[in-house]
PDB file of all heavy atoms in Angstrom:
ATOM      1  N   GLN V  28     134.426  30.642  73.157  1.00 97.00           N
ATOM      2  CA  GLN V  28     134.625  32.050  73.461  1.00 97.00           C
ATOM      3  C   GLN V  28     133.489  32.845  72.850  1.00 97.00           C
ATOM      4  O   GLN V  28     133.002  32.529  71.754  1.00 97.00           O
ATOM      5  CB  GLN V  28     135.943  32.561  72.877  1.00 97.00           C
ATOM      6  CG  GLN V  28     137.141  32.366  73.755  1.00 97.00           C
ATOM      7  CD  GLN V  28     138.400  32.955  73.189  1.00 97.00           C
ATOM      8  OE1 GLN V  28     139.304  32.224  72.784  1.00 97.00           O
ATOM      9  NE2 GLN V  28     138.485  34.278  73.176  1.00 97.00           N
ATOM     10  N   ILE V  43     134.965  39.707  77.282  1.00 98.00           N
ATOM     11  CA  ILE V  43     135.069  38.468  76.501  1.00 98.00           C
ATOM     12  C   ILE V  43     134.887  37.295  77.459  1.00 98.00           C
ATOM     13  O   ILE V  43     135.519  37.247  78.517  1.00 98.00           O
ATOM     14  CB  ILE V  43     136.443  38.359  75.806  1.00 98.00           C
ATOM     15  CG1 ILE V  43     136.675  39.579  74.895  1.00 98.00           C
ATOM     16  CG2 ILE V  43     136.530  37.066  74.995  1.00 98.00           C
ATOM     17  CD1 ILE V  43     138.092  39.684  74.369  1.00 98.00           C
ATOM     18  N   GLU V  44     134.029  36.363  77.066  1.00 97.00           N
ATOM     19  CA  GLU V  44     133.782  35.189  77.899  1.00 97.00           C
ATOM     20  C   GLU V  44     134.491  33.956  77.356  1.00 97.00           C
ATOM     21  O   GLU V  44     134.562  33.754  76.150  1.00 97.00           O
ATOM     22  CB  GLU V  44     132.271  34.897  77.957  1.00 97.00           C
ATOM     23  CG  GLU V  44     131.475  35.904  78.737  1.00 97.00           C
ATOM     24  CD  GLU V  44     130.032  35.464  78.910  1.00 97.00           C
ATOM     25  OE1 GLU V  44     129.615  34.465  78.284  1.00 97.00           O
ATOM     26  OE2 GLU V  44     129.311  36.122  79.685  1.00 97.00           O
ATOM     27  N   CYS V  45     134.959  33.131  78.258  1.00 96.00           N
ATOM     28  CA  CYS V  45     135.608  31.872  77.907  1.00 96.00           C
ATOM     29  C   CYS V  45     134.980  30.777  78.755  1.00 96.00           C
ATOM     30  O   CYS V  45     134.958  30.878  79.980  1.00 96.00           O
ATOM     31  CB  CYS V  45     137.105  31.971  78.191  1.00 96.00           C
ATOM     32  SG  CYS V  45     138.020  30.439  77.918  1.00 96.00           S
ATOM     33  N   MET V  55     142.690  28.701  83.901  1.00 92.00           N
ATOM     34  CA  MET V  55     142.458  29.284  82.576  1.00 92.00           C
ATOM     35  C   MET V  55     143.550  30.298  82.270  1.00 92.00           C
ATOM     36  O   MET V  55     144.094  30.931  83.171  1.00 92.00           O
ATOM     37  CB  MET V  55     141.080  29.930  82.499  1.00 92.00           C
ATOM     38  CG  MET V  55     139.955  28.908  82.420  1.00 92.00           C
ATOM     39  SD  MET V  55     138.361  29.696  82.121  1.00 92.00           S
ATOM     40  CE  MET V  55     137.363  28.289  81.666  1.00 92.00           C
ATOM     41  N   PHE V  56     143.867  30.401  80.999  1.00 94.00           N
ATOM     42  CA  PHE V  56     144.923  31.284  80.536  1.00 94.00           C
ATOM     43  C   PHE V  56     144.359  32.221  79.477  1.00 94.00           C
ATOM     44  O   PHE V  56     143.534  31.831  78.669  1.00 94.00           O
ATOM     45  CB  PHE V  56     146.075  30.475  79.923  1.00 94.00           C
ATOM     46  CG  PHE V  56     146.624  29.386  80.821  1.00 94.00           C
ATOM     47  CD1 PHE V  56     146.060  28.128  80.806  1.00 94.00           C
ATOM     48  CD2 PHE V  56     147.710  29.621  81.643  1.00 94.00           C
ATOM     49  CE1 PHE V  56     146.559  27.108  81.621  1.00 94.00           C
ATOM     50  CE2 PHE V  56     148.214  28.616  82.452  1.00 94.00           C
ATOM     51  CZ  PHE V  56     147.641  27.365  82.447  1.00 94.00           C
ATOM     52  N   TRP V  57     144.869  33.452  79.482  1.00 96.00           N
ATOM     53  CA  TRP V  57     144.483  34.401  78.441  1.00 96.00           C
ATOM     54  C   TRP V  57     145.722  34.817  77.656  1.00 96.00           C
ATOM     55  O   TRP V  57     146.756  35.146  78.236  1.00 96.00           O
ATOM     56  CB  TRP V  57     143.822  35.632  79.048  1.00 96.00           C
ATOM     57  CG  TRP V  57     142.426  35.345  79.522  1.00 96.00           C
ATOM     58  CD1 TRP V  57     142.027  34.997  80.783  1.00 96.00           C
ATOM     59  CD2 TRP V  57     141.242  35.378  78.726  1.00 96.00           C
ATOM     60  NE1 TRP V  57     140.669  34.809  80.821  1.00 96.00           N
ATOM     61  CE2 TRP V  57     140.157  35.033  79.575  1.00 96.00           C
ATOM     62  CE3 TRP V  57     140.975  35.662  77.391  1.00 96.00           C
ATOM     63  CZ2 TRP V  57     138.844  34.976  79.115  1.00 96.00           C
ATOM     64  CZ3 TRP V  57     139.667  35.597  76.937  1.00 96.00           C
ATOM     65  CH2 TRP V  57     138.618  35.259  77.793  1.00 96.00           C
ATOM     66  N   TYR V  58     145.571  34.785  76.318  1.00 96.00           N
ATOM     67  CA  TYR V  58     146.661  35.148  75.412  1.00 96.00           C
ATOM     68  C   TYR V  58     146.168  36.242  74.468  1.00 96.00           C
ATOM     69  O   TYR V  58     144.979  36.369  74.215  1.00 96.00           O
ATOM     70  CB  TYR V  58     147.068  33.955  74.545  1.00 96.00           C
ATOM     71  CG  TYR V  58     147.648  32.766  75.283  1.00 96.00           C
ATOM     72  CD1 TYR V  58     146.826  31.825  75.895  1.00 96.00           C
ATOM     73  CD2 TYR V  58     149.024  32.563  75.321  1.00 96.00           C
ATOM     74  CE1 TYR V  58     147.356  30.726  76.550  1.00 96.00           C
ATOM     75  CE2 TYR V  58     149.569  31.460  75.970  1.00 96.00           C
ATOM     76  CZ  TYR V  58     148.723  30.547  76.581  1.00 96.00           C
ATOM     77  OH  TYR V  58     149.253  29.445  77.222  1.00 96.00           O
ATOM     78  N   ARG V  59     147.114  36.990  73.923  1.00 95.00           N
ATOM     79  CA  ARG V  59     146.809  37.815  72.769  1.00 95.00           C
ATOM     80  C   ARG V  59     147.807  37.463  71.671  1.00 95.00           C
ATOM     81  O   ARG V  59     148.918  36.998  71.950  1.00 95.00           O
ATOM     82  CB  ARG V  59     146.812  39.303  73.094  1.00 95.00           C
ATOM     83  CG  ARG V  59     148.136  39.904  73.458  1.00 95.00           C
ATOM     84  CD  ARG V  59     147.993  41.345  73.943  1.00 95.00           C
ATOM     85  NE  ARG V  59     147.502  42.256  72.920  1.00 95.00           N
ATOM     86  CZ  ARG V  59     147.345  43.556  73.100  1.00 95.00           C
ATOM     87  NH1 ARG V  59     147.629  44.115  74.272  1.00 95.00           N
ATOM     88  NH2 ARG V  59     146.889  44.325  72.137  1.00 95.00           N
ATOM     89  N   MET V  67     151.042  35.305  72.959  1.00 92.00           N
ATOM     90  CA  MET V  67     151.680  36.002  74.065  1.00 92.00           C
ATOM     91  C   MET V  67     150.800  35.845  75.295  1.00 92.00           C
ATOM     92  O   MET V  67     149.657  36.314  75.316  1.00 92.00           O
ATOM     93  CB  MET V  67     151.862  37.478  73.738  1.00 92.00           C
ATOM     94  CG  MET V  67     152.636  38.240  74.816  1.00 92.00           C
ATOM     95  SD  MET V  67     152.646  40.015  74.533  1.00 92.00           S
ATOM     96  CE  MET V  67     151.073  40.478  75.238  1.00 92.00           C
ATOM     97  N   LEU V  68     151.311  35.177  76.324  1.00 93.00           N
ATOM     98  CA  LEU V  68     150.534  34.962  77.533  1.00 93.00           C
ATOM     99  C   LEU V  68     150.311  36.288  78.251  1.00 93.00           C
ATOM    100  O   LEU V  68     151.259  37.052  78.469  1.00 93.00           O
ATOM    101  CB  LEU V  68     151.255  33.978  78.450  1.00 93.00           C
ATOM    102  CG  LEU V  68     150.554  33.655  79.768  1.00 93.00           C
ATOM    103  CD1 LEU V  68     149.259  32.884  79.513  1.00 93.00           C
ATOM    104  CD2 LEU V  68     151.477  32.852  80.673  1.00 93.00           C
ATOM    105  N   MET V  69     149.065  36.541  78.627  1.00 96.00           N
ATOM    106  CA  MET V  69     148.748  37.750  79.371  1.00 96.00           C
ATOM    107  C   MET V  69     148.623  37.451  80.862  1.00 96.00           C
ATOM    108  O   MET V  69     149.151  38.175  81.694  1.00 96.00           O
ATOM    109  CB  MET V  69     147.423  38.338  78.873  1.00 96.00           C
ATOM    110  CG  MET V  69     147.441  38.762  77.423  1.00 96.00           C
ATOM    111  SD  MET V  69     145.812  39.299  76.879  1.00 96.00           S
ATOM    112  CE  MET V  69     145.618  40.784  77.851  1.00 96.00           C
ATOM    113  N   ALA V  70     147.884  36.376  81.175  1.00 95.00           N
ATOM    114  CA  ALA V  70     147.620  36.095  82.591  1.00 95.00           C
ATOM    115  C   ALA V  70     147.148  34.669  82.766  1.00 95.00           C
ATOM    116  O   ALA V  70     146.662  34.034  81.831  1.00 95.00           O
ATOM    117  CB  ALA V  70     146.575  37.055  83.132  1.00 95.00           C
ATOM    118  N   THR V  71     147.323  34.205  83.991  1.00 92.00           N
ATOM    119  CA  THR V  71     146.878  32.864  84.395  1.00 92.00           C
ATOM    120  C   THR V  71     145.903  33.032  85.544  1.00 92.00           C
ATOM    121  O   THR V  71     146.165  33.805  86.478  1.00 92.00           O
ATOM    122  CB  THR V  71     148.070  32.022  84.877  1.00 92.00           C
ATOM    123  OG1 THR V  71     149.038  31.945  83.839  1.00 92.00           O
ATOM    124  CG2 THR V  71     147.629  30.635  85.287  1.00 92.00           C
ATOM    125  N   SER V  72     144.788  32.320  85.487  1.00 91.00           N
ATOM    126  CA  SER V  72     143.844  32.421  86.602  1.00 91.00           C
ATOM    127  C   SER V  72     143.407  31.045  87.075  1.00 91.00           C
ATOM    128  O   SER V  72     143.134  30.158  86.272  1.00 91.00           O
ATOM    129  CB  SER V  72     142.627  33.260  86.213  1.00 91.00           C
ATOM    130  OG  SER V  72     141.795  32.575  85.306  1.00 91.00           O
ATOM    131  N   ILE V  91     140.494  40.229  84.805  1.00 95.00           N
ATOM    132  CA  ILE V  91     140.190  38.810  84.608  1.00 95.00           C
ATOM    133  C   ILE V  91     139.449  38.285  85.824  1.00 95.00           C
ATOM    134  O   ILE V  91     139.860  38.493  86.963  1.00 95.00           O
ATOM    135  CB  ILE V  91     141.470  38.007  84.360  1.00 95.00           C
ATOM    136  CG1 ILE V  91     142.064  38.412  83.009  1.00 95.00           C
ATOM    137  CG2 ILE V  91     141.195  36.504  84.417  1.00 95.00           C
ATOM    138  CD1 ILE V  91     143.427  37.840  82.744  1.00 95.00           C
ATOM    139  N   ASN V  92     138.364  37.589  85.545  1.00 91.00           N
ATOM    140  CA  ASN V  92     137.567  36.974  86.587  1.00 91.00           C
ATOM    141  C   ASN V  92     137.384  35.496  86.272  1.00 91.00           C
ATOM    142  O   ASN V  92     137.033  35.147  85.149  1.00 91.00           O
ATOM    143  CB  ASN V  92     136.199  37.667  86.685  1.00 91.00           C
ATOM    144  CG  ASN V  92     135.355  37.111  87.815  1.00 91.00           C
ATOM    145  OD1 ASN V  92     134.781  36.035  87.698  1.00 91.00           O
ATOM    146  ND2 ASN V  92     135.304  37.838  88.898  1.00 91.00           N
ATOM    147  N   SER V  99     135.532  31.954  82.617  1.00 94.00           N
ATOM    148  CA  SER V  99     136.451  33.041  82.914  1.00 94.00           C
ATOM    149  C   SER V  99     136.112  34.189  81.977  1.00 94.00           C
ATOM    150  O   SER V  99     135.696  33.960  80.834  1.00 94.00           O
ATOM    151  CB  SER V  99     137.903  32.606  82.708  1.00 94.00           C
ATOM    152  OG  SER V  99     138.796  33.686  82.930  1.00 94.00           O
ATOM    153  N   THR V 100     136.275  35.410  82.468  1.00 96.00           N
ATOM    154  CA  THR V 100     136.024  36.570  81.618  1.00 96.00           C
ATOM    155  C   THR V 100     137.235  37.486  81.615  1.00 96.00           C
ATOM    156  O   THR V 100     137.957  37.609  82.608  1.00 96.00           O
ATOM    157  CB  THR V 100     134.789  37.368  82.095  1.00 96.00           C
ATOM    158  OG1 THR V 100     135.012  37.821  83.425  1.00 96.00           O
ATOM    159  CG2 THR V 100     133.537  36.514  82.038  1.00 96.00           C
ATOM    160  N   LEU V 101     137.442  38.112  80.460  1.00 97.00           N
ATOM    161  CA  LEU V 101     138.468  39.131  80.289  1.00 97.00           C
ATOM    162  C   LEU V 101     137.758  40.417  79.897  1.00 97.00           C
ATOM    163  O   LEU V 101     137.033  40.437  78.889  1.00 97.00           O
ATOM    164  CB  LEU V 101     139.457  38.722  79.195  1.00 97.00           C
ATOM    165  CG  LEU V 101     140.412  39.802  78.691  1.00 97.00           C
ATOM    166  CD1 LEU V 101     141.396  40.208  79.776  1.00 97.00           C
ATOM    167  CD2 LEU V 101     141.165  39.334  77.443  1.00 97.00           C
ATOM    168  N   TYR V 114     142.362  37.819  70.809  1.00 98.00           N
ATOM    169  CA  TYR V 114     142.475  37.339  72.182  1.00 98.00           C
ATOM    170  C   TYR V 114     141.998  35.892  72.240  1.00 98.00           C
ATOM    171  O   TYR V 114     140.908  35.564  71.758  1.00 98.00           O
ATOM    172  CB  TYR V 114     141.653  38.223  73.125  1.00 98.00           C
ATOM    173  CG  TYR V 114     142.223  39.609  73.259  1.00 98.00           C
ATOM    174  CD1 TYR V 114     141.876  40.614  72.368  1.00 98.00           C
ATOM    175  CD2 TYR V 114     143.125  39.918  74.274  1.00 98.00           C
ATOM    176  CE1 TYR V 114     142.419  41.883  72.479  1.00 98.00           C
ATOM    177  CE2 TYR V 114     143.661  41.184  74.394  1.00 98.00           C
ATOM    178  CZ  TYR V 114     143.303  42.163  73.489  1.00 98.00           C
ATOM    179  OH  TYR V 114     143.846  43.416  73.602  1.00 98.00           O
ATOM    180  N   ILE V 115     142.809  35.054  72.838  1.00 97.00           N
ATOM    181  CA  ILE V 115     142.497  33.625  72.901  1.00 97.00           C
ATOM    182  C   ILE V 115     142.600  33.145  74.342  1.00 97.00           C
ATOM    183  O   ILE V 115     143.563  33.476  75.043  1.00 97.00           O
ATOM    184  CB  ILE V 115     143.471  32.783  72.050  1.00 97.00           C
ATOM    185  CG1 ILE V 115     143.658  33.380  70.661  1.00 97.00           C
ATOM    186  CG2 ILE V 115     142.987  31.342  71.937  1.00 97.00           C
ATOM    187  CD1 ILE V 115     144.733  32.692  69.835  1.00 97.00           C
ATOM    188  N   CYS V 116     141.628  32.360  74.770  1.00 96.00           N
ATOM    189  CA  CYS V 116     141.709  31.774  76.100  1.00 96.00           C
ATOM    190  C   CYS V 116     142.012  30.282  75.965  1.00 96.00           C
ATOM    191  O   CYS V 116     141.806  29.682  74.903  1.00 96.00           O
ATOM    192  CB  CYS V 116     140.414  31.961  76.882  1.00 96.00           C
ATOM    193  SG  CYS V 116     139.044  30.950  76.308  1.00 96.00           S
ATOM    194  N   SER V 117     142.525  29.721  77.028  1.00 94.00           N
ATOM    195  CA  SER V 117     142.704  28.274  77.066  1.00 94.00           C
ATOM    196  C   SER V 117     142.420  27.789  78.477  1.00 94.00           C
ATOM    197  O   SER V 117     142.404  28.577  79.426  1.00 94.00           O
ATOM    198  CB  SER V 117     144.108  27.863  76.625  1.00 94.00           C
ATOM    199  OG  SER V 117     145.053  28.247  77.588  1.00 94.00           O
ATOM    200  N   THR V 134     138.848  35.625  69.965  1.00 98.00           N
ATOM    201  CA  THR V 134     137.974  36.797  69.798  1.00 98.00           C
ATOM    202  C   THR V 134     138.785  37.891  69.124  1.00 98.00           C
ATOM    203  O   THR V 134     139.837  38.289  69.625  1.00 98.00           O
ATOM    204  CB  THR V 134     137.466  37.309  71.154  1.00 98.00           C
ATOM    205  OG1 THR V 134     136.650  36.307  71.761  1.00 98.00           O
ATOM    206  CG2 THR V 134     136.659  38.591  70.975  1.00 98.00           C
TER     207      THR V 134
END
Side-chain angles (χ1 to χ4, degrees):
Chain V
Q28 273 184 250
I43 302 170
E44 290 188 351
C45 176
M55 286 187 166
F56 307 88
W57 286 95
Y58 296 82
R59 67 188 296 182
M67 185 188 83
L68 180 67
M69 298 175 67
T71 302
S72 72
I91 292 172
N92 183 283
S99 177
T100 60
L101 167 67
Y114 292 87
I115 313 173
C116 72
S117 70
T134 296

